[in-house]
């Protein structure tokens, strides 16, 4: 509750609270007290103090003699003043702890606390741990220091911070008020650290490749465009690092990976943010089939590490990460989910009939080729139903310009997409290393762009030149880190796992 020290005083207008707090700042300065002090040095954290004292009894905490004192710093999330005694909750990055302030121990510092310290301030406390009569682990303050004066009130504690727009726009406030949000982003750090360690142990070399590209390459998406003044050239924020990473295979660097940002100038939804994090990795002398085994093993281990089990509950549904995972071709998925009859999936006419039954827009689907129609039906009618981890294999070459064509049927490429909870989590394929075949695939993309497809990639002549020097056969994969974090933190929206998602300008 802002602007009050008890439950009986009415809440003040926010502007009035800010005015009063700024008056306190002015008064402190007039008294020679810096309201933004930088001299207090904590020697422990709340979580560490709790852990160190967890096994101690009340008697051990309150043993005779001079108890050990600790210096802690954090934000004051609550403050109740009761005569010559006050109770506050100190919060740092590791947790919360009750601090007990007494006139008996603090003397004049207690009067300073009553007059100048408010909820939301960052304070330093030096004190000894003890157990209250009600059994709450606390610290009895022997010193208190105002470290940073808060001049804008925190949200009223009984209602908290629930407005999604404010939470995303003012993530700093979201992190202050919601412990579970802090935990989500700490878990995100653990997830990325685990993946990085897994890749390093598997012999991959972590690298960095350019964020600004002279050409549109790496994936089918609309790019962000920028301009470099000194070179007077147009550049594109990278859609994907694929072609640069594969240049490293040409150079003989072996197994490589990169965890970094990609940018796609597309819509915003619960599954999409224009700026997002991907891991891409490339592995010489394997095919997409070895990547399936590697991926399911890594992600099953990740689920166990982060949640303690291979059974993960996401939005009320249990997802089983234990291996092996289901493998289906697109055609098999369409039949298995009742979108197409077995005889329909082999012909364009059959797919059109299935599209008509499924309610797809006739004007949109009628001009489509067999292959585009196949994928459109899958994305519209099957994708969302793939809740358990499923590898969907065998994609049209027409829609996969960087993938290796299947040796038995060049109309298809050796590729899979991984779906979990109805969302694409990973995309992988055996890589195209034939420079002539890659040139022809790029040429088709150039023609697509000429016809108006603004998601088609450009002709990358330097990449073709690199392939002409010889790239070993390889498998490559991209894993969406944000969507993976969503799964393992039970987050309904990608905005819940990106610290600062893109938003419309504030009104």
């Amino acid at each position: 509750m802002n602007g009050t020290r008890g439950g009986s005083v009415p809440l003040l207008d926010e502007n009035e609270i800010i005015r009063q707090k700024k008056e306190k700042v002015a008064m402190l300065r007039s008294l020679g007290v810096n309201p933004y002090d930088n001299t207090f040095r904590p020697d422990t954290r709340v979580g560490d103090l709790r852990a160190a004292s967890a096994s101690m009894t009340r008697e051990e905490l309150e043993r005779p003699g001079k108890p050990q004192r600790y210096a802690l710093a954090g934000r004051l999330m609550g403050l109740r003043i009761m005569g010559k005694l006050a109770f506050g909750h100190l919060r740092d990055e590791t947790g919360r702890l009750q601090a007990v302030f007494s006139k008996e121990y603090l003397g004049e510092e207690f009067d300073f606390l009553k007059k100048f310290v408010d909820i939301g301030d960052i304070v330093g406390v030096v004190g000894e741990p003890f157990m209250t009569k009600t059994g709450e682990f606390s610290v009895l303050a022997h010193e208190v220091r105002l470290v940073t004066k808060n001049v804008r009130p925190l949200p009223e504690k009984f209602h908290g911070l629930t407005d999604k727009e404010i939470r995303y726009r003012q993530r700093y406030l979201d992190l202050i008020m919601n412990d579970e949000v802090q935990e989500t982003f700490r878990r995100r750090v653990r997830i990325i650290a685990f993946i990085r360690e897994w890749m390093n142990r598997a012999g991959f070399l972590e690298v960095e490749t350019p964020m600004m590209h002279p050409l549109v390459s790496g994936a089918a998406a609309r790019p962000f465009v920028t301009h470099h003044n000194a070179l007077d050239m147009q550049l594109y924020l990278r859609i994907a690092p694929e072609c640069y990473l594969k240049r490293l295979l040409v150079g003989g660097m072996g197994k490589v990976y990169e965890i970094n940002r990609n940018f796609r100038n597309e819509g915003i939804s619960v599954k999409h943010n224009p700026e997002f994090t991907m891991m891409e990795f490339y592995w010489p002398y394997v095919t997409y089939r070895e990547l399936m085994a590697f991926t399911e093993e890594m992600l099953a281990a990740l689920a166990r590490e982060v949640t303690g089990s291979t059974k993960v509950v996401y939005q009320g549904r249990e997802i089983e990460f234990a291996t092996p995972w289901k493998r289906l071709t697109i055609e098999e998925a369409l039949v298995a989910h009742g979108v197409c009859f077995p005889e329909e999936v082999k012909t364009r006419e059959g797919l059109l009939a299935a599209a008509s039954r499924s309610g797809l827009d006739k004007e949109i689907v009628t001009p489509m080729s067999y292959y585009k129609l196949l994928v459109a039906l899958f994305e519209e009618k099957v994708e969302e139903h793939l809740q358990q981890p499923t590898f969907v294999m065998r994609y049209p070459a027409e829609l996969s310009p960087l993938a290796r064509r299947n040796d038995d049927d060049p109309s298809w490429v050796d590729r899979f997409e991984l779906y979990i909870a109805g969302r694409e989590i990973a995309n992988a394929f055996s890589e195209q290393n034939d420079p002539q075949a890659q040139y022809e695939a790029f040429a088709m993309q150039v023609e697509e762009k000429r016809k108006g497809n603004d998601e088609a990639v450009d002709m990358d002549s330097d990449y073709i030149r690199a392939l002409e020097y010889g790239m070993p056969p390889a498998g490559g994969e991209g894993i969406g880190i944000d969507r993976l974090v969503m799964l393992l933190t039970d987050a309904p929206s990608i905005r819940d796992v990106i610290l600062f998602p893109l938003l419309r300008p504030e009104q």
Side-chain angles (χ1 to χ4, degrees):
M1 56 186 63
N2 297 311
T4 72
R5 296 302 178 91
S8 60
V9 181
L11 294 175
L12 299 176
D13 172 78
E14 182 178 62
N15 291 328
E16 176 59 21
I17 297 171
I18 292 172
R19 187 192 65 78
Q20 292 182 6
K21 284 173 172 278
K22 287 183 175 179
E23 278 188 358
K24 289 183 180 181
V25 169
M27 289 174 63
L28 286 166
R29 285 179 168 143
S30 70
L31 294 170
V33 177
N34 186 354
Y36 302 98
D37 183 40
N38 191 29
T39 59
F40 187 83
R41 297 291 179 266
D43 58 23
T44 191
R45 301 181 301 176
V46 166
D48 298 334
L49 181 56
R50 281 189 177 280
S53 307
S55 61
M56 297 176 68
T57 64
R58 184 195 303 272
E59 290 72 23
E60 288 172 324
L61 284 171
E62 300 171 4
R63 66 189 181 280
K66 185 178 180 182
Q68 183 174 354
R69 293 182 182 178
Y70 298 89
L72 302 105
R75 191 178 299 274
L76 202 58
M77 297 302 295
L79 184 63
R80 290 182 297 121
I81 297 178
M82 306 163 65
K84 296 183 178 182
L85 203 61
F87 299 88
H89 277 92
L90 193 69
R91 180 181 187 267
D92 68 8
E93 68 273 19
T94 63
R96 300 180 184 226
L97 178 67
Q98 178 171 267
V100 178
F101 306 99
S102 168
K103 173 77 171 176
E104 177 184 353
Y105 289 95
L106 291 174
E108 291 183 1
E109 285 187 6
F110 186 80
D111 299 326
F112 177 89
L113 173 82
K114 288 178 64 175
K115 186 170 184 179
F116 291 108
V117 177
D118 297 299
I119 294 171
D121 290 351
I122 297 173
V123 298
V125 173
V126 177
E128 61 195 61
F130 79 107
M131 199 77 71
T132 66
K133 291 180 180 179
T134 59
E136 182 172 359
F137 181 72
S138 306
V139 62
L140 177 63
H142 288 262
E143 299 175 34
V144 61
R145 178 90 63 84
L146 177 62
V147 176
T148 300
K149 185 66 189 166
N150 157 290
V151 295
R152 186 172 290 273
L154 300 180
E156 197 273 319
K157 71 176 182 179
F158 292 107
H159 298 99
L161 183 63
T162 57
D163 185 289
K164 289 270 186 169
E165 179 77 11
I166 295 176
R167 287 182 56 204
Y168 297 148
R169 194 176 298 282
Q170 300 179 40
R171 183 67 86 186
Y172 45 86
L173 189 57
D174 192 22
L175 292 166
I176 290 172
M177 299 305 299
N178 296 318
D179 289 347
E180 66 275 13
V181 174
Q182 284 256 2
E183 176 55 30
T184 290
F185 288 103
R186 292 187 185 283
R187 183 171 285 194
R188 180 187 173 107
V189 170
R190 288 172 55 201
I191 289 167
I192 295 174
F194 178 92
I195 292 173
R196 181 171 274 119
E197 183 181 355
W198 184 279
M199 299 301 290
N200 293 343
R201 285 205 314 266
F204 285 83
L205 184 69
E206 185 174 11
V207 297
E208 294 178 318
T209 60
M211 289 286 189
M212 295 189 295
H213 292 183
L215 299 167
V216 179
S217 69
R222 186 180 302 167
F224 286 96
V225 184
T226 187
H227 187 268
H228 189 280
N229 291 333
L231 296 178
D232 190 24
M233 65 183 293
Q234 183 166 280
L235 292 169
Y236 305 92
L237 294 185
R238 78 173 184 196
I239 294 171
E242 179 167 344
C243 289
Y244 282 98
L245 289 169
K246 288 194 287 193
R247 283 173 169 90
L248 300 181
L249 299 189
V250 173
M253 291 193 72
K255 296 155 73 172
V256 294
Y257 78 100
E258 181 171 9
I259 300 175
N260 222 321
R261 294 292 207 188
N262 290 344
F263 307 86
R264 298 184 183 178
N265 198 350
E266 299 170 342
I268 296 173
S269 73
V270 295
K271 297 188 293 184
H272 298 94
N273 191 68
E275 177 184 4
F276 61 99
T277 302
M278 288 277 291
M279 177 176 77
E280 284 207 18
F281 64 95
Y282 292 86
W283 188 346
Y285 308 109
V286 302
T287 72
Y288 77 113
R289 292 191 179 277
E290 285 93 339
L291 296 187
M292 282 191 279
F294 181 80
T295 301
E296 64 184 359
E297 183 184 359
M298 176 174 65
L299 298 189
L302 173 63
R304 285 192 298 270
E305 172 70 19
V306 173
T307 71
S309 171
T310 59
K311 291 180 171 64
V312 174
V313 176
Y314 181 70
Q315 299 298 289
R317 184 190 296 268
E318 185 177 271
I319 296 173
E320 177 57 83
F321 277 78
T323 61
W325 295 349
K326 183 179 289 188
R327 288 151 166 78
L328 292 170
T329 65
I330 292 182
E331 301 104 306
E332 289 169 345
L334 287 168
V335 173
H337 287 269
V339 179
C340 296
F341 298 115
E343 64 274 11
E344 288 179 324
V345 80
K346 299 298 181 185
T347 67
R348 182 171 176 277
E349 291 71 24
L351 293 179
L352 283 171
S356 178
R357 283 198 311 274
S358 299
L360 272 63
D361 190 315
K362 185 176 180 180
E363 289 188 10
I364 293 176
V365 301
T366 299
M368 287 184 176
S369 68
Y370 165 79
Y371 300 108
K372 287 184 178 179
L373 188 53
L374 187 80
V375 173
L377 267 172
F378 169 79
E379 290 177 347
E380 288 292 324
K381 294 299 175 181
V382 178
E383 183 176 307
E384 64 182 297
H385 300 294
L386 299 176
Q387 295 296 316
Q388 298 303 318
T390 304
F391 292 110
V392 178
M393 307 175 296
R394 189 172 153 88
Y395 276 75
E398 179 181 337
L399 303 178
S400 311
L402 290 160
R404 181 187 182 93
R405 291 177 182 255
N406 182 269
D407 290 336
D408 297 324
D409 187 349
S411 299
W412 304 91
V413 294
D414 294 333
R415 172 183 172 187
F416 73 76
E417 288 187 356
L418 169 63
Y419 288 88
I420 309 176
R423 295 176 183 142
E424 179 195 342
I425 301 297
N427 179 27
F429 39 81
S430 301
E431 301 297 335
Q432 179 59 266
N433 65 340
D434 178 341
Q436 180 60 35
Q438 186 61 77
Y439 174 83
E440 292 168 2
F442 278 157
M444 289 175 62
Q445 288 287 298
V446 170
E447 179 62 18
E448 283 279 307
K449 182 167 285 192
R450 189 188 66 79
K451 292 177 180 178
N453 182 356
D454 57 5
E455 293 188 351
V457 301
D458 292 328
M459 174 65 74
D460 190 338
S461 299
D462 179 69
Y463 180 64
I464 299 296
R465 178 168 56 190
L467 292 183
E468 290 174 340
Y469 281 100
M471 185 182 88
E477 181 171 348
I479 297 177
I481 298 296
D482 306 304
R483 291 185 183 179
L484 193 55
V485 175
M486 287 172 65
L487 279 174
L488 297 177
T489 59
D490 196 21
S493 171
I494 196 169
R495 293 185 178 193
D496 294 321
V497 299
I498 295 176
L499 278 167
F500 300 102
L502 185 66
L503 301 169
R504 295 180 185 277
E506 189 171 8
Q507 296 301 315

